[in-house]
Amino acid sequence: MRKEKIRPDDYSQRERPKTRLKQFFDIFAHRFLELLKLSLLQTVFNMPLLITIFLFWMLLQNSSTEQAVMAVFLIQGATLVLCLPFSFVGLTGSFYAIKKLIYAEGEFASSSFFYGLKEEWKKGLVIGLIAGFSAAIAVIGVYFFIFSTYDLFTWVRGFGIAIIVIQLIVVLIICYYSVAQSIVYTNKISSILKNSFLMSLMRFPINLGLLILYPTGFIALICIMPITMYVGLGLMVFTSAFGHLVWMLNAVSAFDKFINKEQFPDYYRKGLFKEETKEE
């Protein structure tokens, strides 16, 4: 029998990545199957949202009158208020499990998913309701400013579309930060939303880029045409946790910069390589 040797430094400090970007590739390479499991678990909570998107486009294609189109948009707005909270409840489980991976706390991500659901589902529900109402406003606003036959000036339509899109972008970014904060800290929901709003503005270019990447890019593929619909659906089912990993790493990086460095030094750059300081 071949003699095996156990490495004494499997989890040594020096083997950890030095940046959050390098940590993404490290987790991607070594915990790929765990992320895939999280994606499938999240899909269970995303199913109502995905079904309503499919139904929306099917009904819209079969609507021939303005009244029918208006009804489809109103129904879609109402269903988003109901479906997005369910998705965000699942997001609390995903973010909790991914936090464990980022902070190198050595738990299986799939089991941590259910623990995160148990602990933080109420906050996820509240945050999801906020996201749902924002999305409903955007959907109904799109109908009013683009599809309705009301006699509006072009600049009014353009300004209205810009407002509803911007509010949705800002609210979704705030919601992602809020779920991440509810996982890492034990603040009240009002404090979580306030801090998330500030961080969403201070890192807006980065946040906007991540939002376009996930989930906007995936949802856009679902909505464009039948061929890309299946591509987008496949990405949502099998790779959503990878998008969550990017968002959680972005949030943790913001927490290090704005919170942990001064208030919680033990959590500052947790999970990353740290230079050992010698005591004099």
Side-chain angles (χ1 to χ4, degrees):
M1 178 180 284
R2 186 177 66 177
K3 186 176 180 180
E4 302 290 349
K5 182 179 179 181
I6 299 176
R7 293 177 56 205
D9 58 345
D10 263 351
Y11 299 99
S12 71
Q13 177 64 240
R14 293 191 172 276
E15 288 189 323
R16 293 180 180 177
K18 294 184 178 182
T19 65
R20 296 297 179 191
L21 180 61
K22 291 181 179 179
Q23 190 177 37
F24 169 82
F25 292 106
D26 180 69
I27 294 174
F28 181 89
H30 296 99
R31 306 302 293 271
F32 184 89
L33 290 179
E34 288 291 316
L35 292 173
L36 182 59
K37 290 178 184 178
L38 287 178
S39 296
L40 296 175
L41 288 170
Q42 179 66 46
T43 298
V44 176
F45 292 86
N46 286 342
M47 283 304 295
L49 177 63
L50 295 175
I51 291 171
T52 59
I53 292 175
F54 279 113
L55 291 176
F56 170 74
W57 285 109
M58 288 176 60
L59 292 172
L60 191 62
Q61 289 174 358
N62 295 323
S63 300
S64 57
T65 65
E66 182 182 356
Q67 290 77 12
V69 172
M70 181 176 66
V72 170
F73 274 88
L74 290 175
I75 292 171
Q76 180 64 16
T79 54
L80 285 173
V81 175
L82 298 175
C83 295
L84 274 176
F86 200 58
S87 293
F88 271 83
V89 167
L91 196 63
T92 60
S94 293
F95 272 29
Y96 184 87
I98 290 171
K99 184 205 75 170
K100 292 287 186 180
L101 298 179
I102 292 173
Y103 284 165
E105 293 179 339
E107 290 190 26
F108 288 106
S110 53
S111 59
S112 298
F113 178 91
F114 294 103
Y115 185 83
L117 284 180
K118 177 184 174 183
E119 294 295 314
E120 304 297 342
W121 70 269
K122 292 181 180 179
K123 290 180 180 177
L125 188 65
V126 173
I127 296 167
L129 280 171
I130 295 172
F133 278 109
S134 176
I137 291 171
V139 168
I140 296 171
V142 165
Y143 164 75
F144 183 77
F145 291 112
I146 297 180
F147 293 96
S148 70
T149 57
Y150 290 104
D151 188 15
L152 298 174
F153 292 110
T154 303
W155 69 269
V156 173
R157 292 182 185 272
F159 184 75
I161 294 170
I163 292 296
I164 61 174
V165 170
I166 290 172
Q167 69 83 24
L168 179 61
I169 289 172
V170 173
V171 169
L172 287 179
I173 293 172
I174 291 172
C175 288
Y176 274 105
Y177 272 110
S178 296
V179 174
Q181 274 195 82
S182 69
I183 296 303
V184 178
Y185 307 106
T186 57
N187 296 335
K188 294 181 179 179
I189 191 67
S190 57
S191 298
I192 288 174
L193 292 172
K194 181 190 71 174
N195 293 338
S196 298
F197 174 73
L198 294 175
M199 282 185 279
S200 68
L201 294 183
M202 288 186 286
R203 295 165 61 92
F204 187 76
I206 296 174
N207 297 329
L208 179 60
L210 294 182
L211 189 68
I212 292 172
L213 176 66
Y214 181 88
T216 306
F218 291 5
I219 294 176
L221 287 174
I222 294 175
C223 296
I224 292 173
M225 57 186 297
I227 296 176
T228 61
M229 180 182 294
Y230 295 107
V231 175
L233 181 61
L235 290 173
M236 287 289 288
V237 170
F238 294 106
T239 67
S240 60
F242 298 90
H244 297 165
L245 174 61
V246 172
W247 268 106
M248 193 64 187
L249 285 168
N250 176 58
V252 167
S253 177
F255 299 161
D256 283 343
K257 182 177 181 180
F258 300 117
I259 301 174
N260 296 337
K261 191 171 185 179
E262 294 184 359
Q263 300 183 36
F264 303 103
D266 290 341
Y267 271 74
Y268 179 67
R269 291 178 56 81
K270 187 176 180 181
L272 297 180
F273 168 79
K274 296 180 183 179
E275 292 286 350
E276 298 180 359
T277 57
K278 295 183 180 180
E279 297 183 0
E280 295 183 359

